[in-house]
Amino acid sequence: MEKRIKKSYICRDVNKYHIDQDLVHFHIPTVGDIAVFEVVSIGKHKTIQGFDKRNAAIYPGDQIMAAFGTRYATGQFEGYVEMNPFHEYQILGAGGTVGIIHSMHQRFTSVGPTQLKMIGYAVDARGEILNTKKARQPEMMPYTGAAQSLTKIILSIGSSMDSGKTTTAAHIVRGLKKNGFRTGFIKLTGTVYTKDCDLNYDNGADVVADFSAMGFPSTYLCELEELLNLHETLLMQINAKELDYVVIEIADGLFQRETEMLLTQSRFMSGIDAVVFSAGDSLSAVQGVKTLQEMNILPAALSGLFTASPLLIKEVKSKLNLPIYTIDQLATGELLQLIKEPLGSIA
């Protein structure tokens, strides 16, 4: 009996294909190339997010369909698409990103990554390898800046991967909806997995979208122009002109490559109406604001994990004269009083 192939979320639109096993020996994979793998051993990832968003358990011997991609995650894995064909790969992200791991957080060294063996590439009737990014390329729009002028945009950024910026974004969305505003959410950068979009949708967002909608298994190592095109495309995709606000989240911390690239790019920042900066503790809050000031950005407000501690809030208030909001305050819409005017620089 033919084995059932468990299709990961990034491959959700793949229906007609056949598997070419010969290409494994000589084709050098590129980001977005789709392949079928056999699970060799289970490590960090015990499930993959399926085409239907359900987290499907995987076991040694299972076959999965996934796409090649990169990953930058300080709390998890650093992984790449190598310039050589290999027979064994690792799961980089549960949404279906596969590559070669270069480093991992120490907490995973005892279990390691989930190991995969390459079976073959998914190809079309002409024998061409299916690619998630290439499939969506005709829909990508060139950046003009027009889309970001259609609505007010609030940018949620953080000091690190786990600083609380997604929770901050979701509670901003909740506060906006509570006050009667049509609100969208975009996860602009990161590694494919729907958790962040789902959380914002559950908090009331009228529409959500992320980079995977345009076939990106991840955005790590994308060029600036590609990110700007993606920004424009996603805003148009969610019909930004029909929304009062769009909350946009950028993954990881201020020093991450794509985050820093966007924050220092005037074409991107000129369309942002307010920045909310999340931090994990008082030191990262204070130093993060100083880093943003060096980028000519003054946050409208601070939030994040540190706001769970009254003592940490007190420490930050002693160093900074900026509004600080807990998630409960964001959820009531208190931020609205600060974002009625466009973002100003500190120059």
Side-chain angles (χ1 to χ4, degrees):
M1 185 175 67
E2 187 176 342
K3 282 190 175 181
R4 174 162 54 93
I5 296 173
K6 296 179 178 179
K7 188 189 302 182
S8 66
Y9 184 72
I10 190 62
C11 302
R12 59 193 179 276
D13 295 325
V14 178
N15 295 308
K16 296 180 180 180
Y17 68 95
H18 67 272
I19 302 171
D20 190 323
Q21 298 186 39
D22 294 332
L23 288 170
V24 172
H25 305 294
F26 59 86
H27 176 73
I28 297 173
T30 60
V31 171
D33 280 354
I34 298 170
V36 175
F37 304 85
E38 180 180 323
V39 178
V40 175
S41 62
I42 301 296
K44 191 267 177 184
H45 288 99
K46 297 177 175 60
T47 63
I48 60 166
Q49 186 174 42
F51 66 95
D52 55 359
K53 289 191 181 183
R54 185 178 68 85
N55 287 326
I58 54 175
Y59 304 93
D62 281 359
Q63 292 183 2
I64 68 169
M65 179 185 287
F68 283 94
T70 55
R71 188 170 192 192
Y72 174 103
T74 53
Q76 293 199 31
F77 297 135
E78 172 198 11
Y80 300 92
V81 180
E82 298 288 352
M83 296 300 292
N84 291 294
F86 288 81
H87 290 286
E88 292 199 3
Y89 294 91
Q90 295 89 40
I91 294 180
L92 303 182
T97 305
V98 166
I100 298 291
I101 287 178
H102 278 226
S103 72
M104 69 183 79
H105 194 280
Q106 190 173 12
R107 62 183 167 147
F108 297 121
T109 54
S110 61
V111 295
T114 294
Q115 298 283 350
L116 307 173
K117 180 174 70 176
M118 184 82 158
I119 295 176
Y121 285 96
V123 300
D124 61 19
R126 296 174 297 176
E128 295 185 6
I129 296 172
L130 299 175
N131 183 289
T132 57
K133 287 182 68 176
K134 289 178 183 176
R136 295 291 186 182
Q137 190 60 41
E139 301 170 47
M140 283 285 280
M141 303 177 64
Y143 176 81
T144 64
Q148 61 192 25
S149 67
L150 298 175
T151 185
K152 288 187 171 65
I153 297 176
I154 302 171
L155 185 65
S156 179
I157 55 176
S159 58
S160 64
M161 177 180 175
D162 296 315
S163 56
K165 57 191 174 295
T166 302
T167 303
T168 291
H171 284 78
I172 292 173
V173 166
R174 192 170 186 83
L176 291 168
K177 288 301 299 177
K178 185 171 287 188
N179 284 272
F181 293 104
R182 296 164 298 175
T183 307
F185 170 79
I186 289 174
K187 178 75 177 287
L188 184 57
T189 64
T191 304
V192 60
Y193 195 58
T194 68
K195 178 170 67 72
D196 294 350
C197 278
D198 293 343
L199 178 63
N200 278 271
Y201 185 78
D202 290 344
N203 272 273
D206 294 282
V207 60
V208 299
D210 71 6
F211 49 88
S212 75
M214 301 311 298
F216 289 71
S218 81
T219 55
Y220 182 38
L221 299 183
C222 284
E223 296 303 322
L224 174 62
E225 212 60 38
E226 192 172 24
L227 293 175
L228 291 174
N229 294 346
L230 181 62
H231 174 55
E232 180 108 0
T233 302
L234 292 178
L235 281 168
M236 295 303 291
Q237 188 180 77
I238 66 171
N239 199 13
K241 70 177 184 295
E242 298 297 325
L243 300 170
D244 299 305
Y245 289 95
V246 174
V247 179
I248 295 180
E249 179 191 344
I250 301 179
D252 304 298
L254 300 183
F255 296 142
Q256 198 272 346
R257 177 183 176 272
E258 291 76 44
T259 299
E260 186 171 21
M261 209 155 55
L262 287 168
L263 292 178
T264 55
Q265 174 54 235
S266 60
R267 285 185 293 168
F268 177 74
M269 291 304 299
S270 63
I272 304 301
D273 293 278
V275 173
V276 180
F277 177 61
S278 294
D281 56 37
S282 56
L283 181 60
S284 59
V286 173
Q287 292 303 125
V289 169
K290 290 182 179 179
T291 298
L292 287 170
Q293 288 175 333
E294 291 170 0
M295 297 176 177
N296 201 33
I297 296 169
L298 183 63
L302 306 181
S303 192
L305 288 179
F306 85 91
T307 64
S309 167
L311 285 174
L312 290 177
I313 292 176
K314 187 183 296 185
E315 288 179 0
V316 174
K317 283 184 174 179
S318 72
K319 302 293 182 182
L320 297 174
N321 186 26
L322 286 172
I324 298 172
Y325 292 112
T326 66
I327 57 173
D328 289 337
Q329 290 172 318
L330 291 175
T332 65
E334 288 188 33
L335 183 68
L336 278 167
Q337 60 188 320
L338 300 176
I339 57 177
K340 293 177 180 176
E341 298 299 327
L343 176 70
S345 74
I346 62 168

